Amino acid sequence: MKNWTVKQLSAAAMMTAVSVVLLYLAQVAPTMKLSLTALSGVAAALLIARHGPMSGILCYGASSVLGLFLTPGSAWLYVVFFGWYPTVKCLVERLGRRAAEWTLKLLSFNAAFFLLWFLLPGVFAELLPEMTGLFWLLWPAGNIVFVLFDLGLSQLLGFYIRTILSKIKK
Protein backbone atom coordinates (compact mmCIF):
# COMPACT_ATOMS: atom_id res chain seq x y z
CA MET A 1 0.00 0.00 0.00
CA LYS A 2 1.36 3.35 -0.93
CA ASN A 3 2.01 6.12 1.56
CA TRP A 4 -0.79 8.63 1.89
CA THR A 5 0.01 12.29 1.65
CA VAL A 6 -1.84 15.02 3.48
CA LYS A 7 -3.15 16.21 0.12
CA GLN A 8 -4.66 12.81 -0.68
CA LEU A 9 -6.21 12.39 2.76
CA SER A 10 -7.68 15.88 2.75
CA ALA A 11 -9.12 15.31 -0.75
CA ALA A 12 -10.68 12.05 0.43
CA ALA A 13 -12.10 13.82 3.49
CA MET A 14 -13.56 16.62 1.36
CA MET A 15 -15.18 14.20 -1.09
CA THR A 16 -16.50 12.17 1.82
CA ALA A 17 -18.12 15.34 3.14
CA VAL A 18 -19.60 16.09 -0.29
CA SER A 19 -20.95 12.54 -0.50
CA VAL A 20 -22.54 12.73 2.94
CA VAL A 21 -24.13 16.12 2.20
CA LEU A 22 -25.58 14.73 -1.04
CA LEU A 23 -26.89 11.70 0.85
CA TYR A 24 -28.49 14.03 3.38
CA LEU A 25 -30.12 16.04 0.58
CA ALA A 26 -31.41 12.78 -0.89
CA GLN A 27 -32.92 11.97 2.49
CA VAL A 28 -34.79 15.26 2.89
CA ALA A 29 -35.64 16.08 -0.74
CA PRO A 30 -39.06 14.84 -1.80
CA THR A 31 -37.78 14.16 -5.33
CA MET A 32 -34.41 13.41 -6.92
CA LYS A 33 -33.48 10.78 -4.31
CA LEU A 34 -31.91 8.48 -6.89
CA SER A 35 -30.11 11.32 -8.70
CA LEU A 36 -28.62 12.78 -5.53
CA THR A 37 -27.49 9.35 -4.37
CA ALA A 38 -25.84 8.73 -7.75
CA LEU A 39 -24.13 12.13 -7.51
CA SER A 40 -22.69 11.14 -4.15
CA GLY A 41 -20.99 8.25 -5.97
CA VAL A 42 -19.75 10.60 -8.68
CA ALA A 43 -17.91 12.55 -5.98
CA ALA A 44 -15.91 9.41 -5.26
CA ALA A 45 -15.30 8.90 -8.99
CA LEU A 46 -13.75 12.36 -9.28
CA LEU A 47 -11.52 11.54 -6.33
CA ILE A 48 -10.45 8.28 -7.96
CA ALA A 49 -9.57 10.10 -11.19
CA ARG A 50 -7.17 12.31 -9.26
CA HIS A 51 -5.76 10.04 -6.55
CA GLY A 52 -6.47 6.44 -7.58
CA PRO A 53 -8.74 3.59 -6.47
CA MET A 54 -7.51 3.40 -2.86
CA SER A 55 -8.77 6.92 -2.24
CA GLY A 56 -12.15 5.82 -3.60
CA ILE A 57 -12.23 2.91 -1.18
CA LEU A 58 -11.40 5.25 1.71
CA CYS A 59 -14.12 7.69 0.64
CA TYR A 60 -16.63 4.85 0.20
CA GLY A 61 -15.93 3.41 3.64
CA ALA A 62 -16.16 6.72 5.48
CA SER A 63 -19.20 7.91 3.52
CA SER A 64 -20.99 4.61 4.04
CA VAL A 65 -20.51 4.61 7.79
CA LEU A 66 -21.46 8.28 8.14
CA GLY A 67 -24.34 7.90 5.70
CA LEU A 68 -25.83 4.93 7.53
CA PHE A 69 -25.70 6.83 10.81
CA LEU A 70 -26.90 10.20 9.53
CA THR A 71 -29.16 9.31 6.59
CA PRO A 72 -30.19 5.65 6.85
CA GLY A 73 -33.03 5.97 4.34
CA SER A 74 -30.97 7.13 1.38
CA ALA A 75 -27.64 5.59 2.31
CA TRP A 76 -28.52 2.00 1.37
CA LEU A 77 -28.42 2.74 -2.36
CA TYR A 78 -25.00 4.30 -1.84
CA VAL A 79 -23.71 1.43 0.29
CA VAL A 80 -24.99 -1.31 -1.99
CA PHE A 81 -24.08 0.22 -5.35
CA PHE A 82 -23.28 3.90 -5.99
CA GLY A 83 -20.48 4.15 -3.44
CA TRP A 84 -18.30 1.28 -4.54
CA TYR A 85 -19.11 1.20 -8.25
CA PRO A 86 -16.70 4.01 -9.28
CA THR A 87 -13.79 2.04 -7.81
CA VAL A 88 -14.92 -1.14 -9.56
CA LYS A 89 -15.33 0.80 -12.81
CA CYS A 90 -11.79 2.17 -12.51
CA LEU A 91 -10.30 -1.27 -11.90
CA VAL A 92 -12.39 -3.12 -14.50
CA GLU A 93 -11.64 -0.62 -17.25
CA ARG A 94 -7.95 -1.39 -16.87
CA LEU A 95 -8.56 -4.81 -18.44
CA GLY A 96 -8.63 -3.33 -21.93
CA ARG A 97 -11.17 -5.84 -23.26
CA ARG A 98 -14.61 -4.34 -23.81
CA ALA A 99 -16.58 -7.61 -23.59
CA ALA A 100 -14.98 -8.58 -20.28
CA GLU A 101 -15.38 -5.05 -18.92
CA TRP A 102 -19.09 -4.89 -19.72
CA THR A 103 -19.66 -8.41 -18.43
CA LEU A 104 -18.08 -7.53 -15.08
CA LYS A 105 -19.88 -4.18 -14.89
CA LEU A 106 -23.27 -5.75 -15.60
CA LEU A 107 -22.58 -8.54 -13.11
CA SER A 108 -21.75 -6.00 -10.43
CA PHE A 109 -24.89 -3.97 -11.14
CA ASN A 110 -27.14 -7.02 -11.22
CA ALA A 111 -25.66 -8.35 -7.98
CA ALA A 112 -26.46 -5.01 -6.33
CA PHE A 113 -29.93 -4.94 -7.91
CA PHE A 114 -30.80 -8.43 -6.66
CA LEU A 115 -29.40 -7.66 -3.22
CA LEU A 116 -31.59 -4.56 -2.99
CA TRP A 117 -34.65 -6.29 -4.44
CA PHE A 118 -34.58 -9.48 -2.37
CA LEU A 119 -32.72 -8.57 0.84
CA LEU A 120 -33.58 -4.87 1.22
CA PRO A 121 -36.99 -4.54 -0.46
CA GLY A 122 -37.83 -1.46 1.59
CA VAL A 123 -35.31 0.55 -0.43
CA PHE A 124 -37.22 -0.02 -3.67
CA ALA A 125 -40.55 0.41 -1.89
CA GLU A 126 -39.45 3.85 -0.69
CA LEU A 127 -37.88 4.85 -3.99
CA LEU A 128 -40.54 3.53 -6.38
CA PRO A 129 -43.61 2.63 -4.29
CA GLU A 130 -45.92 2.09 -7.26
CA MET A 131 -43.53 -0.39 -8.91
CA THR A 132 -42.69 -2.77 -6.08
CA GLY A 133 -44.48 -5.70 -7.71
CA LEU A 134 -43.09 -5.14 -11.19
CA PHE A 135 -39.74 -6.93 -11.02
CA TRP A 136 -40.07 -8.10 -14.63
CA LEU A 137 -40.22 -4.45 -15.73
CA LEU A 138 -37.74 -2.87 -13.31
CA TRP A 139 -34.92 -5.36 -13.88
CA PRO A 140 -34.45 -4.76 -17.65
CA ALA A 141 -35.17 -1.05 -17.25
CA GLY A 142 -32.58 -0.91 -14.45
CA ASN A 143 -29.98 -2.51 -16.72
CA ILE A 144 -30.67 0.02 -19.46
CA VAL A 145 -30.44 2.92 -17.02
CA PHE A 146 -27.23 1.44 -15.60
CA VAL A 147 -25.60 1.31 -19.04
CA LEU A 148 -26.60 4.94 -19.63
CA PHE A 149 -25.25 5.86 -16.17
CA ASP A 150 -21.95 4.14 -16.89
CA LEU A 151 -21.58 5.82 -20.29
CA GLY A 152 -22.45 9.21 -18.78
CA LEU A 153 -20.00 8.69 -15.94
CA SER A 154 -17.29 7.82 -18.48
CA GLN A 155 -18.01 11.02 -20.41
CA LEU A 156 -17.98 13.11 -17.23
CA LEU A 157 -14.72 11.59 -16.04
CA GLY A 158 -13.13 12.04 -19.46
CA PHE A 159 -14.11 15.71 -19.45
CA TYR A 160 -12.81 16.10 -15.89
CA ILE A 161 -9.47 14.49 -16.70
CA ARG A 162 -8.95 16.30 -20.03
CA THR A 163 -10.19 19.75 -19.01
CA ILE A 164 -9.96 20.25 -15.28
CA LEU A 165 -7.14 17.95 -14.13
CA SER A 166 -4.90 19.00 -16.99
CA LYS A 167 -5.21 22.64 -15.85
CA ILE A 168 -4.74 21.77 -12.17
CA LYS A 169 -1.53 19.86 -12.86
CA LYS A 170 0.01 22.72 -14.88
Side-chain angles (χ1 to χ4, degrees), residues 4 101 166:
W4 290 86
E101 290 172 9
S166 65

Side-chain angles (χ1 to χ4, degrees), residues 113-157:
F113 185 90
F114 282 100
L115 178 70
L116 283 169
W117 187 267
F118 293 111
L119 297 180
L120 299 167
V123 174
F124 272 119
E126 183 182 330
L127 188 63
L128 302 165
E130 63 278 351
M131 307 207 57
T132 53
L134 301 174
F135 175 79
W136 58 272
L137 181 64
L138 278 179
W139 181 51
N143 277 278
I144 292 167
V145 171
F146 164 71
V147 168
L148 293 173
F149 170 74
D150 184 81
L151 293 172
L153 184 58
S154 294
Q155 291 294 315
L156 177 68
L157 289 173

Side-chain angles (χ1 to χ4, degrees), residues 70-123:
L70 301 173
T71 62
S74 61
W76 283 109
L77 283 170
Y78 181 82
V79 170
V80 174
F81 181 70
F82 288 113
W84 57 265
Y85 181 71
T87 305
V88 168
K89 178 178 174 57
C90 172
L91 295 173
V92 165
E93 288 181 349
R94 292 180 179 180
L95 294 175
R97 288 187 252 143
R98 286 260 194 218
E101 290 172 9
W102 277 106
T103 301
L104 291 171
K105 289 177 186 180
L106 286 166
L107 281 172
S108 65
F109 169 75
N110 283 294
F113 185 90
F114 282 100
L115 178 70
L116 283 169
W117 187 267
F118 293 111
L119 297 180
L120 299 167
V123 174

Side-chain angles (χ1 to χ4, degrees), residues 7-64:
K7 189 180 210 180
Q8 290 169 318
L9 285 174
S10 62
M14 285 189 295
M15 285 306 185
T16 298
V18 168
S19 293
V20 172
V21 166
L22 288 168
L23 288 173
Y24 177 75
L25 290 174
Q27 179 82 19
V28 298
T31 59
M32 295 182 50
K33 184 179 294 272
L34 187 60
S35 299
L36 289 168
T37 306
L39 275 176
S40 65
V42 171
L46 297 176
L47 179 66
I48 292 166
R50 174 76 191 242
H51 296 290
M54 285 305 292
S55 62
I57 293 169
L58 179 65
C59 180
Y60 167 68
S63 299
S64 295

